[in-house]
């Protein structure tokens, strides 16, 4: 009887200890993070919600930079690169680093384009600030996907190599011999200079697939890259100049397209849905309205055409006899200082802050700047001409007084967002047409943070709308930065056969403690008995 009493007491104490321990539910699926692993797999972009993974999710907010510093730094860097690209010396400007860009690490924002509805076309993604426009290209036998800057001012194509240890390469996807069975290193050196450094490596030969068009060609694989590429999503540059040996000429030689032509539509991020695209072989008629007005090339191997005039609010600046380089790889517009000064004389309240290179303009002006070619005038929205106000409430004009080719203008994306552009290598001409813009209503941006295999993360933004119509229109001003958010949820994963409960873990623990206390009392009573 005494032994039975002791055994009974021990049983009660063990039960009490078990009651004090928190309850851990059983997981039927030991691989409950399969969705996360799938999301992190190579070249997988997922827009599915993350709540089924079972982790608490938080809103993703991109750090807001100083608009003044960001604009100054961007223009200075662009000036350095353009000087190297066009073989001149860059004007002396401040080149201090913007702290907001230094802090970006690899938190890139990518606004994906909608899929084109025509053959031989690919969407043009962008970084959410209208600063860089790029396409997804598949490399090698495995079709590894890399972002490539669309650059009509570049004559060569290169990508970041897997053997590159530069800071920029460690933050991006790269390409190397382990990524393709058809990778062939020619042994030739590759090098190209930029304003803030060089890109160098080897020339290799392998396949490149863009818009469903695949060719094998030589291109550069960089072992060293300039640090400036740490600040942008793209992993290389797709050269689309008029020289031979570009990806486009290889496509034409392979008879994959009828004509050596491509049409470009660049989207303004503030307009909502990114419907930008580049179509090869022929213009996409759905992207423009009315006729295409062509101007013949006068520059040999560069996409440059004669420009008739520059206007502000319909008034002529008296600029004539100039050549204009049409460059998709450049964000802003640049011109000879005297020409640019004549333009800003037409802008009430404008003034130069650095001897005619940069001009401040009224933030509330709705007047437009326009450029004339072959008797046709093409208008750039005031929202593209005028920058967003900086911290001091000052706005700048996005036409800068810097001359990279003597007597020539350089028209970049600030202008090209407003027209449909056609680059015709066969007939050596450039055409412009009025854009057929998709106007969206009830458009709500959404974001998904995606982690690449090397641990870097990219925020992919998309937009959804409930109604669309086709017509001409002008979008709103693009912001310096964008904010992408993931669903603000904290849903916990439950096993497929479990029943959800509203009882909290704290309540369960409190009940267990009470139960243990009662058992201990009964244990003491049994000892006395």
């Amino acid at each position: 009887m005494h032994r039975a009493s002791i055994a009974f007491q021990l049983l009660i104490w063990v039960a009490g200890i078990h009651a004090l321990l928190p309850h851990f539910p059983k997981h039927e699926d030991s691989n409950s993070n399969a969705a996360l692993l799938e999301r992190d797999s190579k070249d997988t972009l997922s827009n599915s919600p993350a709540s089924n993974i079972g982790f608490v999710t938080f809103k993703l907010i991109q750090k807001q930079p100083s608009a003044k510093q960001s604009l100054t730094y961007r223009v200075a860097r662009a000036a350095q690169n353009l000087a190297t690209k066009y073989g001149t010396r860059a004007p002396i400007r401040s080149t201090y680093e913007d702290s907001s860009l230094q802090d970006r690490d690899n938190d890139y924002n990518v606004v994906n384009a909608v899929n084109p509805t025509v053959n031989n076309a690919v969407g043009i993604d962008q970084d959410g600030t209208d600063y860089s426009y790029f396409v997804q290209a598949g490399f090698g036998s495995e079709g590894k996907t890399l972002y490539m800057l669309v650059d009509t001012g570049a004559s060569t194509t290169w990508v970041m190599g897997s053997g590159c240890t530069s800071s920029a390469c460690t933050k991006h996807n790269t390409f190397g011999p382990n990524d393709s069975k058809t990778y062939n290193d020619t042994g030739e050196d590759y090098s190209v200079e930029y304003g803030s450094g060089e890109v160098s490596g080897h020339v290799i030969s392998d396949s490149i697939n863009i818009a469903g068009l695949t060719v094998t060609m030589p291109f550069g694989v960089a072992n060293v890259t300039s640090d400036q590429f740490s600040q942008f999503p793209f992993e290389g540059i797709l050269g689309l100049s008029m020289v031979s040996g570009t990806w486009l000429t290889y496509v034409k030689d392979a008879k994959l397209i009828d004509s050596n032509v491509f049409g470009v539509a660049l989207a303004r991020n503030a307009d909502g849905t990114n419907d930008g695209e580049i179509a090869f072989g022929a213009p996409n008629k759905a992207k423009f309205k009315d006729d295409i007005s062509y101007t013949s090339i006068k520059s040999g191997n560069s996409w440059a055409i004669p420009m008739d005039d520059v206007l502000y609010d319909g008034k002529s600046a008296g600029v004539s006899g100039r050549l204009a380089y049409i460059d998709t790889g450049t964000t802003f517009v640049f011109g000879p200082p005297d020409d640019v000064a004549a333009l800003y004389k037409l802008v009430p309240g404008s003034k130069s802050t650095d001897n005619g290179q940069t001009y401040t303009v009224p933030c509330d002006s709705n007047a437009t700047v326009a450029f004339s070619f072959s008797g046709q005038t093409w208008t750039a929205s005031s929202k593209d001409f005028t920058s967003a106000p900086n911290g001091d409430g000052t706005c700048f004009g996005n036409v800068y007084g810097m001359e990279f080719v003597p007597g020539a203008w350089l028209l970049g994306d600030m202008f090209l967002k407003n027209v449909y552009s056609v680059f015709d290598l066969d007939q050596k001409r450039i055409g412009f047409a009025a854009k057929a813009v998709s106007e969206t209503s009830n458009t709500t941006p959404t974001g998904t943070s995606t982690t690449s295999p090397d641990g870097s993360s990219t925020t992919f933004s998309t937009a959804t709308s409930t109604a669309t119509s086709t017509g001409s229109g002008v979008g709103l001003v693009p912001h310096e930065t964008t904010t992408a958010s993931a669903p603000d949820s904290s849903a916990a994963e439950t096993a497929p056969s479990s029943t959800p409960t509203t009882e909290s873990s704290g309540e369960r623990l409190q009940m267990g403690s009470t139960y243990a206390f009662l058992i201990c009392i009964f244990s003491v009573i049994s000892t006395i008995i």
Side-chain angles (χ1 to χ4, degrees):
M1 182 69 183
H2 179 67
R3 291 180 179 178
S5 176
I6 293 176
F8 180 69
Q9 293 178 38
L10 290 174
L11 179 62
I12 292 176
W13 281 107
V14 170
I17 293 172
H18 178 73
L20 283 170
L21 293 176
H23 173 66
F24 294 98
K26 294 181 179 179
H27 291 278
E28 295 186 3
D29 183 7
S30 61
N31 294 321
S32 60
N33 64 339
L36 180 61
L37 295 175
E38 181 180 357
R39 188 193 71 177
D40 290 348
S41 63
K42 182 175 69 174
D43 301 332
T44 298
L45 307 182
S46 174
N47 291 322
S48 60
S51 59
N52 63 340
I53 300 174
F55 297 101
V56 177
T57 58
F58 299 92
K59 188 175 294 184
L60 300 175
I61 301 177
Q62 188 173 348
K63 182 180 178 182
Q64 295 286 342
S66 163
K68 180 179 180 180
Q69 290 183 345
S70 180
L71 180 62
T72 304
Y73 175 71
R74 288 179 174 187
V75 174
R77 185 177 60 246
Q80 291 177 340
N81 293 338
L82 290 171
T84 303
K85 181 190 257 187
Y86 291 98
T88 57
R89 183 175 180 180
I92 298 176
R93 292 180 54 82
S94 171
T95 57
Y96 60 84
E97 288 273 339
D98 182 352
S99 59
S100 65
L101 292 175
Q102 289 177 328
D103 295 339
R104 279 185 67 176
D105 293 330
N106 196 32
D107 188 18
Y108 301 125
N109 187 63
V110 175
V111 181
N112 293 119
V114 297
N115 292 326
T117 58
V118 297
N119 294 329
N120 303 336
V122 63
I124 298 181
D125 304 330
Q126 67 143 299
D127 59 12
T129 64
D130 298 350
Y131 191 73
S132 59
Y133 292 86
F134 38 89
V135 297
Q136 297 184 37
F139 284 81
S141 61
E142 308 306 310
K144 184 169 185 179
T145 302
L146 300 175
Y147 286 125
M148 302 294 289
L149 181 74
V150 178
D151 193 349
T152 56
S155 58
T156 61
T157 293
W158 65 266
V159 297
M160 297 180 184
S162 59
C164 177
T165 58
S166 299
S167 175
C169 294
T170 62
K171 300 175 181 179
H172 285 86
N173 288 335
T174 58
F175 183 67
N178 293 332
D179 297 314
S180 174
K181 298 176 182 178
T182 52
Y183 185 101
N184 178 30
D185 192 335
T186 66
E188 298 179 18
D189 292 333
Y190 177 85
S191 179
V192 58
E193 291 288 337
Y194 290 94
S196 57
E198 72 168 359
V199 169
S200 62
H202 284 175
V203 175
I204 72 106
S205 178
D206 210 335
S207 61
I208 302 178
N209 181 302
I210 301 174
L213 303 170
T214 303
V215 292
T216 297
M217 60 173 285
F219 56 92
V221 171
N223 295 325
V224 177
T225 61
S226 171
D227 287 344
Q228 66 171 310
F229 295 108
S230 297
Q231 299 153 2
F232 307 104
F234 55 85
E235 282 109 8
I237 291 179
L238 176 65
L240 292 175
S241 72
M242 296 184 66
V243 301
S244 61
T246 65
W247 177 85
L248 185 64
T249 57
Y250 274 89
V251 170
K252 180 61 166 58
D253 292 343
K255 299 181 179 180
L256 299 179
I257 54 178
D258 295 330
S259 302
N260 219 351
V261 175
F262 59 95
V264 175
L266 300 182
R268 184 183 294 107
N269 185 61
D271 288 349
T273 301
N274 180 1
D275 59 354
E277 71 163 40
I278 180 170
F280 299 99
N284 182 357
K285 295 181 180 180
K287 289 296 182 181
F288 64 93
K289 63 177 187 176
D290 302 329
D291 296 329
I292 300 173
S293 176
Y294 287 97
T295 303
S296 297
I297 298 293
K298 298 295 184 182
S299 60
N301 291 327
S302 297
W303 293 113
I305 53 179
M307 184 172 66
D308 297 339
D309 201 358
V310 181
L311 304 93
Y312 179 81
D313 198 19
K315 302 180 181 66
S316 171
V319 176
S320 60
R322 298 299 194 188
L323 206 61
Y325 287 75
I326 312 301
D327 191 346
T328 60
T330 296
T331 305
F332 307 111
V333 169
F334 299 88
D338 290 343
D339 292 356
V340 173
L343 170 65
Y344 281 105
K345 284 181 181 179
L346 303 174
V347 183
S350 66
K351 62 179 180 180
S352 176
T353 60
D354 49 12
N355 298 321
Q357 294 180 12
T358 304
Y359 289 80
T360 60
V361 297
C363 295
D364 58 354
S365 174
N366 292 322
T368 59
V369 62
F371 305 88
S372 295
F373 303 92
S374 299
Q376 292 282 338
T377 298
W378 305 100
T379 300
S381 169
S382 62
K383 309 304 182 181
D384 297 320
F385 171 67
T386 306
S387 74
N390 64 13
D392 299 328
T394 302
C395 295
F396 294 85
N398 281 329
V399 176
Y400 297 92
M402 303 180 195
E403 190 172 12
F404 300 103
V405 179
W409 281 67
L410 187 59
L411 305 189
D413 303 331
M414 172 264 182
F415 166 70
L416 294 173
K417 284 181 288 184
N418 296 273
V419 295
Y420 185 78
S421 308
V422 180
F423 298 81
D424 188 341
L425 187 57
D426 288 339
Q427 300 193 43
K428 298 187 181 304
R429 60 183 184 173
I430 296 176
F432 298 121
K435 291 180 67 177
V437 180
S438 297
E439 299 176 354
T440 61
S441 62
N442 298 327
T443 301
T444 304
T446 60
T448 302
S449 179
T450 300
T451 305
S452 62
D454 61 359
S456 59
S457 64
T458 303
T459 300
F460 295 92
S461 297
T462 59
T464 58
S465 61
T466 58
T468 59
S469 63
T470 302
S472 61
V474 178
L476 301 176
V477 61
H479 301 289
E480 278 296 310
T481 61
T482 58
T483 300
S485 60
D488 189 9
S489 64
S490 58
E493 183 182 32
T494 59
S497 60
S498 64
T499 302
T501 175
T502 57
E503 191 177 60
S504 69
S505 59
E507 291 172 333
R508 289 196 299 269
L509 185 59
Q510 183 179 11
M511 291 177 62
S513 300
T514 303
Y515 175 53
F517 177 73
L518 292 175
I519 289 179
C520 290
I521 292 177
F522 283 120
S523 176
V524 173
I525 294 174
S526 67
T527 303
I528 296 174
I529 294 176

